Amino acid sequence: MHGDGRDYPTLCAYSCVIPYDQYAYFAKELSAQRINQSDNGDNSDETEFDNQTIFDYPLSKLYGNELFMGSNLFGVQKSDTLYKNHSKITHVGSIVLWYSFNVDTRKRKELLRKVTVQLFELSKIDDTTTFIKFNIFGDEIANSEMIRGAYEATKLMIIGFFLLLGFVFFVVWHKLRAKKVPVVVLAAVLSPFLAATVSFAIIAWIQFPFYSIMCVTPFLILGIGVDDAFIMLQSWCLYNTVPSKKDRLTRVFIEIGPSISITSITNMVAFGIGYLTPTPQMSLFCLSTSIACFVDYILTFTLFAPVLYINSGDEQCYIPAKKSIDQMNDDFIHWYSKFICSWKGKILALLFLILLYSLSIFGVMTMKSTFEPAKAFPSDSPLASSLNGVKLAFSEFSPLQIIVNKAPNISDQQEYSAFYEMVTSLESVPNSYGRQWTLLFLKAYEMFDQKIFSFLHAFGFSGQNHYIPSYDNLGYFLRQIRNPPMIKTKQNENGIEVLSSFIMTIVAHNLTEWANRAIYVDQCRSIVNNYPQFNSSIRDGDAAILDLILTVKMDLVGSIAVTVFCMAIVCIFFIVDKIGVFVVTLIISSICFTLVGSLSWWGADMDPVTMVDVLIATGFSVDYTAHIAFKFYKVEGSNHQRIKQALQEMSGPMLQAGISTVLCMLPLIFVPTYAILAFAKTVFLVVALGLIHGIFILPVLLTTLSYRRQL
């Protein structure tokens, strides 16, 4: 049952099948009859009042009129015996009160927020009341709990920031003279934070709302931004023998500019496609991150690069002061490159891929398409108890509203029969209760209209011999139930008030699983579409998520395909070799597929959270492929020489980038919110899979599919 919390007519008029006045007299008449029976010494259960006024489930009776109780009472146990208190119900597990509010002004919205949050805080106190323990769930409470989860995540990510800062300091210290380290480190971390700030400013300027999940954006951009800084720093140190600073910076831009451009543009594309997701929170998170990626790309060349240039002093300032511990030994690189080019390396790569794909296929096939609201809140939230109550309610009472925009002409037997044929089909969908639970005011009106006909016919005023349903008494009927807003009427050509549109409710059970609920709604929608003459539509507050559950697998495949295609287009402009573009595209697809399978093994479901996380990770995957591939096709020589030089120059920054990203996200594993934890898991997996593909699988494919060019 739905209502606005103000009065009964609005609350019950379109859900109940009993006029308001009779409902108002229910308690009064029941008490009066008890007093009369007590005064008269009458303890009989056979009075007319007892027979017509019964507290039952799901339909109670008041003077023979039905009152639907199935939307409020749950865990009901009943008996065939009618007890002296006019009840057949022996036990009620819980009572659920449903309220909806009209918050069309900011003042009302704030008032609603304060009231619901106060009630939520009150529900946490065990001894609030002596006899009643209550839980409360609502949008404002859910928002406050999500904000609390985001706040906890932000605090932990600050720890991640200091871990990353320490690692960046460590890397820079092993490449530059000590006195230059602080300034370079500051520039490396300042660029991403400035990019995030600009992104938030743009979001605010275009008046988009700010969601709690967007607090992750600065730290995510930090992980992406320092990757580019590592690559630029590595290239700057490699060209330390160039005498002119201007020429040195030019060489650096020529060498690493295209590869940084590839990764930055593809990250923007990946997050940009994520903006198209139907979830508003994740959509704006992707938009803000995409904007931040673009700004960080610009700042890498306009802020970080000038810092390297200005702080160089003389040309010898940036000669590495110490042996870099994160750069592979030349002997090991030489051996590893030989191994990559050998048949042993290729066989090992093939066996590894067979094992990885087998596990991934099993993981993808066993992933369950569903959604759990609890995933959006911290696991220690009191809302968990409230959601359990809601889950119990949906196991017994899952309402689905049908908006009939063109009401049937009940005087037309063929049209009226077609309408009830649609109703019967809806009531026959698996898990539907059936006619007894259907909330359709036409049933009550037809009884009312027939009683009036019988009364008039008895006195000879009916003008017809048998009853034919009509809207002649509709206006009077609606006035008796205070003209509920969910029933619309209009004047016909004869000036008679006739039904225009209304809402009916079909009730189902055993729909606690969102996947089952999505299937149920889809089946009902198909039935409604078979009766276009009534122009009916399905209304469900969670319709967007339910529709996504049904198509999430295909949507994910389609989104990944579009993202990978866009990345391939970007790579074409920077990697001149067509085979190289094909190999990079193949590796990105492999990372995405194995990522989904790995997430399944780590306990993830196929839900909107996983879908968005994988789309975001698709952009990350380019960071571990484009740099090696670009360098491989840029240098001359044999395949062994080319892959050796590519690994010498790029493997170190790639490892540093992976470690820095993991360190930044590492504290998130302690966040008790599933959505944030799932994002952290996705980042960890894409880093691991990206490094494996980028340093092992990609070199094997490059050396296998590329022809050998001699100096």
Side-chain angles (χ1 to χ4, degrees):
M1 184 185 299
H2 302 271
D4 65 357
R6 292 177 294 179
D7 53 23
Y8 174 81
T10 307
L11 177 70
C12 195
Y14 62 94
S15 297
C16 300
V17 292
I18 179 172
Y20 166 71
D21 293 332
Q22 292 178 340
Y23 177 83
Y25 294 144
F26 187 92
K28 178 180 177 181
E29 291 296 325
L30 183 60
S31 299
Q33 287 295 328
R34 284 180 176 174
I35 293 173
N36 291 336
Q37 288 182 6
S38 176
D39 292 342
N40 298 330
D42 183 7
N43 295 322
S44 172
D45 292 335
E46 302 300 329
T47 66
E48 181 180 356
F49 179 82
D50 290 330
N51 291 332
Q52 295 189 355
T53 303
I54 301 173
F55 188 48
D56 202 352
Y57 182 86
L59 293 175
S60 294
K61 286 187 177 181
L62 175 61
Y63 292 119
N65 294 285
E66 294 180 336
L67 176 64
F68 185 73
M69 309 297 294
S71 59
N72 299 101
L73 306 182
F74 300 95
V76 174
Q77 298 177 9
K78 52 184 289 187
S79 170
D80 293 333
T81 303
L82 179 63
Y83 295 95
K84 292 183 179 181
N85 61 352
H86 306 280
S87 174
K88 291 185 177 182
I89 298 176
T90 59
H91 174 79
V92 175
S94 60
I95 299 174
V96 178
L97 303 179
W98 308 84
Y99 295 94
S100 61
F101 297 85
N102 182 17
V103 285
D104 53 352
T105 65
R106 182 174 298 180
K107 183 178 180 180
R108 287 184 177 181
K109 185 175 182 179
E110 179 61 21
L111 178 62
L112 174 63
R113 187 194 67 81
K114 288 182 178 180
V115 171
T116 52
V117 171
Q118 287 175 359
L119 286 173
F120 179 62
E121 295 299 326
L122 193 64
S123 69
K124 298 178 183 179
I125 305 174
D126 294 333
D127 57 349
T128 302
T129 60
T130 305
F131 303 104
I132 299 175
K133 178 176 176 58
F134 74 95
N135 297 306
I136 183 171
F137 181 84
D139 291 342
E140 297 299 328
I141 299 172
N143 290 338
S144 67
E145 286 298 286
M146 285 190 288
I147 291 174
R148 182 173 71 87
Y151 176 69
E152 293 177 357
T154 303
K155 290 191 297 183
L156 289 173
M157 292 197 74
I158 292 175
I159 299 175
F161 164 73
F162 284 107
L163 290 175
L164 182 142
L165 186 65
F167 180 73
V168 174
F169 191 94
F170 176 81
V171 171
V172 176
W173 182 73
H174 279 81
K175 291 182 179 294
L176 307 178
R177 299 189 186 279
K179 64 179 182 179
K180 303 297 182 181
V181 170
V183 178
V184 176
V185 171
L186 177 63
V189 299
L190 184 61
S191 296
F193 276 119
L194 287 177
T197 303
V198 172
S199 174
F200 290 157
I202 294 175
I203 293 294
W205 179 65
I206 57 182
Q207 297 183 349
F208 280 171
F210 186 89
Y211 293 106
S212 56
I213 186 65
M214 295 165 66
C215 294
V216 178
T217 296
F219 303 97
L220 183 60
I221 295 300
L222 180 63
I224 296 174
V226 296
D227 298 353
D228 297 336
F230 287 148
I231 293 174
M232 184 172 290
L233 180 61
Q234 172 80 355
S235 182
W236 181 266
C237 292
L238 288 175
Y239 290 104
N240 64 332
T241 57
V242 178
S244 170
K245 290 194 300 180
K246 181 178 179 180
D247 293 340
R248 185 179 182 182
L249 188 61
T250 301
R251 292 287 299 274
V252 169
F253 281 1
I254 292 174
E255 287 297 319
I256 56 92
S259 61
I260 290 180
S261 298
I262 293 174
T263 56
S264 298
I265 294 174
T266 51
N267 279 328
M268 285 186 285
V269 170
F271 284 107
I273 293 176
Y275 172 66
L276 302 177
T277 57
T279 308
Q281 293 86 347
M282 299 304 295
S283 177
L284 283 181
F285 165 71
C286 291
L287 176 62
S288 63
T289 308
S290 180
I291 296 173
C293 286
F294 173 71
V295 177
D296 180 66
Y297 170 65
I298 295 175
L299 291 177
T300 299
F301 292 97
T302 59
L303 177 62
F304 182 73
V307 168
L308 285 177
Y309 183 89
I310 294 173
N311 282 270
S312 63
D314 56 67
E315 287 72 16
Q316 301 301 316
C317 180
Y318 277 85
I319 296 176
K322 310 169 186 66
K323 183 178 180 179
S324 177
I325 63 172
D326 59 355
Q327 184 177 356
M328 293 184 179
N329 184 274
D330 286 343
D331 293 336
F332 176 77
I333 290 288
H334 179 77
W335 172 85
Y336 185 68
S337 301
K338 285 285 188 182
F339 176 76
I340 289 295
C341 296
S342 67
W343 62 270
K344 293 181 180 179
K346 293 175 173 55
I347 291 177
L348 181 61
L350 178 62
L351 294 176
F352 176 79
L353 285 177
I354 291 175
L355 176 62
L356 185 61
Y357 287 159
S358 299
L359 294 174
S360 298
I361 290 173
F362 180 81
V364 171
M365 296 299 293
T366 56
M367 285 189 85
K368 182 173 62 174
S369 297
T370 186
F371 177 75
E372 291 293 339
K375 293 179 178 180
F377 315 121
S379 58
D380 59 349
S381 171
L383 279 181
S385 178
S386 300
L387 288 172
N388 288 334
V390 173
K391 202 168 186 178
L392 173 63
F394 270 94
S395 68
E396 299 184 20
F397 179 77
S398 297
L400 181 65
Q401 291 186 329
I402 314 296
I403 303 175
V404 182
N405 294 296
K406 186 178 180 181
N409 180 5
I410 61 176
S411 298
D412 186 330
Q413 183 177 359
Q414 183 177 359
E415 185 173 336
Y416 200 27
S417 297
F419 173 76
Y420 266 101
E421 182 181 295
M422 180 183 75
V423 174
T424 302
S425 298
L426 291 169
E427 294 169 341
S428 301
V429 174
N431 295 321
S432 288
Y433 274 113
R435 184 62 51 88
Q436 188 182 23
W437 287 67
T438 299
L439 305 179
L440 176 60
F441 94 99
L442 281 176
K443 296 187 296 183
Y445 170 71
E446 191 172 345
M447 292 174 57
F448 176 81
D449 187 52
Q450 190 168 10
K451 287 181 179 179
I452 292 182
F453 168 79
S454 299
F455 176 80
L456 295 176
H457 183 70
F459 290 93
F461 297 123
S462 63
Q464 55 190 27
N465 294 325
H466 61 279
Y467 171 69
I468 299 177
S470 71
Y471 289 130
D472 294 346
N473 300 302
L474 180 62
Y476 177 73
F477 175 81
L478 293 179
R479 286 191 293 273
Q480 296 304 304
I481 59 174
R482 308 296 178 87
N483 292 310
M486 309 308 291
I487 302 175
K488 304 297 182 182
T489 61
K490 64 180 181 180
Q491 298 287 332
N492 65 7
E493 60 276 6
N494 298 323
I496 300 176
E497 190 172 13
V498 297
L499 187 62
S500 172
S501 61
F502 62 94
I503 292 180
M504 59 177 288
T505 303
I506 303 295
V507 183
H509 59 99
N510 294 332
L511 295 182
T512 54
E513 285 288 338
W514 281 60
N516 296 336
R517 188 176 160 203
I519 294 173
Y520 175 79
V521 171
D522 187 62
Q523 290 175 333
C524 290
R525 184 181 289 116
S526 298
I527 292 174
V528 165
N529 292 338
N530 291 332
Y531 296 86
Q533 64 267 39
F534 304 117
N535 191 22
S536 301
S537 57
I538 301 292
R539 180 184 181 275
D540 191 296
D542 301 312
I545 296 178
L546 295 176
D547 291 342
L548 186 59
I549 289 174
L550 292 173
T551 61
V552 64
K553 287 188 177 181
M554 294 305 300
D555 288 346
L556 179 59
V557 172
S559 299
I560 291 176
V562 171
T563 305
V564 172
F565 175 77
C566 293
M567 292 179 179
I569 297 298
V570 173
C571 291
I572 288 175
F573 291 97
F574 296 95
I575 300 177
V576 295
D577 194 288
K578 295 181 180 179
I579 295 179
V581 175
F582 171 75
V583 170
V584 170
T585 304
L586 193 64
I587 290 295
I588 294 173
S589 303
S590 176
I591 293 174
C592 293
F593 174 70
T594 54
L595 173 63
V596 176
S598 301
L599 284 172
S600 175
W601 282 96
W602 208 343
D605 294 324
M606 184 64 73
D607 54 26
V609 175
T610 301
M611 179 178 175
V612 175
D613 288 347
V614 172
L615 287 179
I616 294 172
T618 304
F620 285 162
S621 63
V622 183
D623 295 353
Y624 303 99
T625 57
H627 301 305
I628 294 287
F630 175 78
K631 182 61 65 174
F632 178 82
Y633 285 104
K634 185 176 178 61
V635 300
E636 298 290 335
S638 65
N639 284 342
H640 171 254
Q641 292 171 329
R642 294 158 68 193
I643 199 64
K644 177 182 176 181
Q645 185 171 346
L647 290 172
Q648 281 178 331
E649 294 187 18
M650 291 299 174
S651 60
M654 284 173 57
L655 288 171
Q656 293 162 4
I659 294 172
S660 64
T661 302
V662 169
L663 286 176
C664 190
M665 296 293 165
L666 185 61
L668 291 184
I669 63 175
F670 300 104
V671 176
T673 304
Y674 170 87
I676 298 176
L677 181 60
F679 179 72
K681 289 180 179 180
T682 305
V683 172
F684 297 154
L685 285 173
V686 77
V687 168
L689 293 171
L691 288 174
I692 292 173
H693 280 78
I695 297 179
F696 181 40
I697 306 300
L698 175 63
V700 169
L701 285 177
L702 289 175
T703 55
T704 301
L705 300 179
S706 299
Y707 60 88
R708 301 169 63 90
R709 293 184 294 177
Q710 302 296 330
L711 287 172

